[in-house]
Amino acid sequence: MKPQLHSLLGTALTAVLAEHSGAAPAVLPAIQLEPTKDPRFGDFSSNLAMLLAKPLGLAPRKLAEALLRQLPPSASVAKVEIAGPGFINFFLAPAAFQSVVAEVLQRGDGYGRNAHGAGKRAMVEFVSANPTGPLHVGHGRGAAVGDCLARLLEASGWDTAREFYYNDAGAQINNLALSVQARCKAVEPEQPGWPENGYRGDYIRDVAAAYLAGASMAADDRAVTAAADPDDLDAIREFAVAYLRHEQDLDLKAFGVHFDLYYLESSLYSEGRVTQTVTALEGSGHTFEQDGALWLKTTDYADDKDRVMRKSDGSFTYFVPDVAYHVSKWQRGFQRVINEQGADHHGTIARVRAGLQALDIGVPQGWPEYVLHQMVTVMKGGEEVKISKRAGSYVTLRDLIEEAGRDATRFFLVARKADSQLVFDIDLARAQTNDNPVYYIQYAHARVCSVLRQLGERGMSWDDDSGIAAVGRLQEPLELALAAQMARFPETVEIAASTLEPHLIAQYLRELAAAFHGFYNSHQLLIDDVELRNARVALAVAARQVLRNGLGLLGVSAPEQM
RNA sequence: GCGCCCGUAGCUCAGUUGGAUAGAGCAUCGACCUUCUAAGUCGAGGGCCACUGGUUCGAAUCCAGUCGGGCGCACCA
């Protein structure tokens, strides 16, 4: 509906500008159209006349009148009014809403998808937890948000890869190996021989036991069999990484998240990418030596401080492999790369971008893009939950999934703007009542399925064609309101994808479900009037389709019954 | 001290990128099941959009400052 109105206004705008060719502004304002909040203002409203008033030097209402005179007639538009300071309000004809139902049924799973990214490649890097312990709630938020971003890009036509990056070789991994080794030798925390800052969680015991038992672990296309020798630290390190990656994979699988690519920090060294990057940066003229260290002048590129690349002891700071990693992403041909991370890492953004700019390899200034999520607080029984027995010091993603289920956990973690802090109420997430927005939406879907079952049991029949043929019978305000809500889905997907805000989908689905429940409660579907019945069932089935498509974007299931 | 994010109903949060009288859910109060799932619907009350200035036809939204919360400011990752 909106694109149609947009083009009508465009035609009118061109004609009006022709009338005032002398006064035509250098920069034309974009045509803005938005759904109204108040039915008195029609269905869609445009502020075009107000935006144009100043550049053309005409009164907004005069301009609005001129635009109306040039507006081509349309079967979708019942009435157009000028209101307030110069708003142009469109009142749509029922036919405009009815046609939405037909469109949804015809496009099916494709309804809401667009081709903006067709032929282009995108990558979303997310979670990227180091294999030193179970995934925590923050990783869960990253997993939910990152996966939804990938789904949104896919729905927008992008060829999208999901990538998981992790450090499998640094000091933390060494600490992990020492912790496992200590457990292998039955050393407890605080006892002599326990490594300084060792990992104390119970899961370290499990890793040690599996290692001593000679277990085999498969993770990220690799398999590792434990050497079972408590003195072989390298073997312990390799096994522990595989074990914990395997654990993380189990959690992600239970969460419905899969990755296409795993990238190991160690490979940046073994493939020489780190030294290549340093050499290239030195050649860029943006480096200098000071106090025995090699620095990059990131302040040339909007960082607030220059950064050390190579320490005086000859080793590299973490920021060098970070740049080398992003060079790899660029060389792999991703036009668009989105990094989903916790907000506590926001300091790296300026550095990575600065490093890429200094290399002068054609990377655009705002590349890569970042989506940062804020902290998650977990509440249960009115109190904050801070500790998981398994991890020792934080609430794990597995805890949440076990408590609240996959669907509720995913929905809750993605339903809020990523850059606001989130309170995850476990009691609410697990409630099977109307308090719980996940069930509210899923229930709408299940209700339609139930109606279709009833329809069969009563010996009635229905199909897309008979439904589409009857949509002209949809006249009731609640019927048209539901269709109007469905019409907004494609635009919502576009906005969510372009602004990288998956919470808009969750928000939208709640409104769609509300429109459905309102319709369902007021109008009987399985009635004797065959044509009206066909029309209403068509409306319900179309609503089910949009609910399903939207839930699919969130990775939440659409159950047939509840 | 510097940088980033946030501040909207008692609580949890939206607010379509500057639009008309600021919305939803929960909680509170009231109404609706002999009818397709009441996991639902309808109604009522509840607000100095943290504060102060500015920008303009118009500001919760943009700018500056103040206050409050979170995070980051290593030759750690």
Side-chain angles (χ1 to χ4, degrees):
Chain A
M1 295 190 289
K2 188 170 168 178
Q4 290 175 39
L5 297 179
H6 202 278
S7 96
L8 295 179
L9 265 181
T11 306
L13 175 58
T14 308
V16 169
L17 287 178
E19 291 172 7
H20 299 273
S21 51
V27 186
L28 280 182
I31 296 175
Q32 293 179 31
L33 259 172
E34 58 178 19
T36 55
K37 295 170 192 161
D38 188 327
R40 286 188 297 127
F41 302 138
D43 298 297
F44 283 90
S45 178
S46 177
N47 59 357
L48 182 60
M50 279 130 75
L51 294 178
L52 221 49
K54 182 164 274 184
L56 285 186
L58 290 170
R61 289 191 67 107
K62 288 269 185 217
L63 251 172
E65 286 166 21
L67 286 166
L68 278 202
R69 278 195 300 275
Q70 296 293 346
L71 203 65
S74 164
S76 299
V77 179
K79 182 170 65 158
V80 189
E81 284 181 358
I82 298 169
F87 289 105
I88 300 172
N89 293 337
F90 293 87
F91 294 76
L92 297 184
F97 300 102
Q98 293 156 358
S99 67
V100 175
V101 178
E103 188 190 343
V104 172
L105 293 177
Q106 281 156 359
R107 294 206 54 194
D109 292 342
Y111 182 72
R113 304 180 71 90
N114 64 72
H116 294 322
K120 292 183 284 189
R121 298 178 65 218
M123 171 203 284
V124 183
E125 183 218 322
F126 61 115
V127 184
S128 295
N130 284 341
T132 54
L135 298 176
H136 56 64
V137 190
H139 295 128
R141 191 173 192 185
V145 171
D147 190 50
C148 288
L149 288 170
R151 287 167 191 253
L152 282 167
L153 290 173
E154 283 166 348
S156 301
W158 292 82
D159 177 9
T160 307
R162 294 163 171 81
E163 182 152 301
F164 189 121
Y165 170 82
Y166 65 91
N167 175 357
D168 57 333
Q172 290 180 44
I173 298 298
N174 209 45
N175 187 15
L176 169 72
L178 289 170
S179 304
V180 172
Q181 185 176 46
R183 286 292 188 189
C184 284
K185 297 182 172 180
V187 177
E188 303 275 329
E190 311 301 343
Q191 289 179 349
W194 183 260
E196 196 181 346
N197 301 320
Y199 292 99
R200 294 156 174 255
D202 283 356
Y203 63 94
I204 295 291
R205 259 189 248 270
D206 301 337
V207 180
Y211 177 77
L212 292 176
S216 289
M217 300 307 306
D220 316 341
D221 307 324
R222 296 178 306 148
V224 175
T225 299
D229 174 2
D231 292 317
D232 188 343
L233 195 61
D234 287 338
I236 292 176
R237 180 185 298 113
E238 191 184 14
F239 179 79
V241 166
Y243 184 100
L244 290 170
R245 280 289 313 125
H246 180 75
E247 287 285 296
Q248 292 179 349
D249 282 346
L250 289 177
D251 291 351
L252 291 167
K253 194 173 176 188
F255 206 38
V257 173
H258 87 276
F259 286 87
D260 305 299
L261 302 162
Y262 295 89
Y263 205 101
L264 276 58
E265 184 179 345
S266 62
S267 73
L268 292 168
Y269 291 93
S270 62
E271 292 172 8
R273 288 182 165 278
V274 171
T275 48
Q276 281 165 22
T277 300
V278 172
T279 306
L281 286 171
E282 283 182 302
S284 75
H286 292 283
T287 59
F288 61 94
E289 299 250 2
Q290 187 182 306
D291 305 329
L294 179 66
W295 297 66
L296 182 69
K297 289 190 70 179
T298 53
T299 48
D300 288 349
Y301 304 97
D303 198 2
D304 53 3
K305 200 182 209 179
D306 292 331
R307 305 291 168 178
V308 171
M309 295 166 60
R310 190 172 56 225
K311 298 183 249 178
S312 49
D313 68 4
S315 64
F316 298 113
T317 57
Y318 70 96
F319 129 79
V320 180
D322 261 7
V323 174
Y325 173 44
H326 282 87
V327 170
S328 158
K329 288 183 182 177
W330 178 251
Q331 289 173 341
R332 282 185 277 160
F334 295 105
Q335 286 97 333
R336 198 165 178 196
V337 165
I338 292 142
N339 293 340
E340 205 290 348
Q341 304 176 342
D344 53 343
H345 290 95
H346 73 251
T348 68
I349 297 176
R351 272 166 265 180
V352 167
R353 286 183 177 160
L356 290 169
Q357 290 305 310
L359 285 169
D360 195 23
I361 51 175
V363 175
Q365 283 204 351
W367 191 100
E369 299 164 75
Y370 283 83
V371 172
L372 303 179
H373 64 258
Q374 294 284 337
M375 208 175 59
V376 180
T377 308
V378 179
M379 301 288 289
K380 188 178 180 183
E383 288 183 5
E384 183 176 350
V385 186
K386 283 191 165 161
I387 304 180
S388 142
K389 183 169 186 300
R390 190 161 148 266
S393 57
Y394 52 84
V395 180
T396 64
L397 173 59
R398 188 175 298 180
D399 292 337
L400 279 191
I401 297 175
E402 283 172 1
E403 291 257 15
R406 188 193 84 167
D407 285 344
T409 303
R410 281 195 75 132
F411 186 92
F412 273 59
L413 289 177
V414 86
R416 304 302 186 203
K417 249 187 325 207
D419 58 12
S420 3
Q421 295 172 29
L422 171 69
V423 177
F424 191 110
D425 183 340
I426 288 182
D427 301 316
L428 179 61
R430 63 182 300 157
Q432 307 226 341
T433 70
N434 55 354
D435 304 1
N436 191 333
V438 188
Y439 286 91
Y440 182 84
I441 295 163
Q442 290 181 322
Y443 183 46
H445 183 272
R447 268 184 152 174
V448 180
C449 296
S450 176
V451 167
L452 290 180
R453 283 193 296 271
Q454 284 283 327
L455 181 135
E457 285 167 18
R458 296 186 192 186
M460 300 168 170
S461 66
W462 181 89
D463 57 49
D464 284 7
D465 290 338
S466 60
I468 290 170
V471 293
R473 290 294 299 279
L474 297 171
Q475 300 283 348
E476 297 287 343
L478 289 173
E479 295 169 339
L480 300 179
L482 175 54
Q485 187 62 27
M486 297 191 299
R488 296 183 54 188
F489 183 61
E491 188 197 349
T492 304
V493 174
E494 275 186 45
I495 294 173
S498 67
T499 60
L500 304 176
E501 295 185 318
H503 76 278
L504 295 176
I505 302 298
Q507 193 74 16
Y508 169 82
L509 285 173
R510 199 172 207 300
E511 288 165 15
L512 177 63
F516 173 78
H517 288 307
F519 155 70
Y520 179 91
N521 269 279
S522 307
H523 299 295
Q524 198 76 14
L525 279 83
L526 301 180
I527 50 178
D528 293 334
D529 179 340
V530 177
E531 197 185 39
L532 186 56
R533 182 213 301 157
N534 286 342
R536 286 185 176 161
V537 174
L539 180 62
V541 171
R544 179 179 68 167
Q545 181 72 59
V546 182
L547 286 164
R548 187 181 289 165
N549 294 359
L551 286 169
L553 288 175
L554 301 183
V556 175
S557 70
E560 307 236 323
Q561 57 186 23
M562 298 176 71

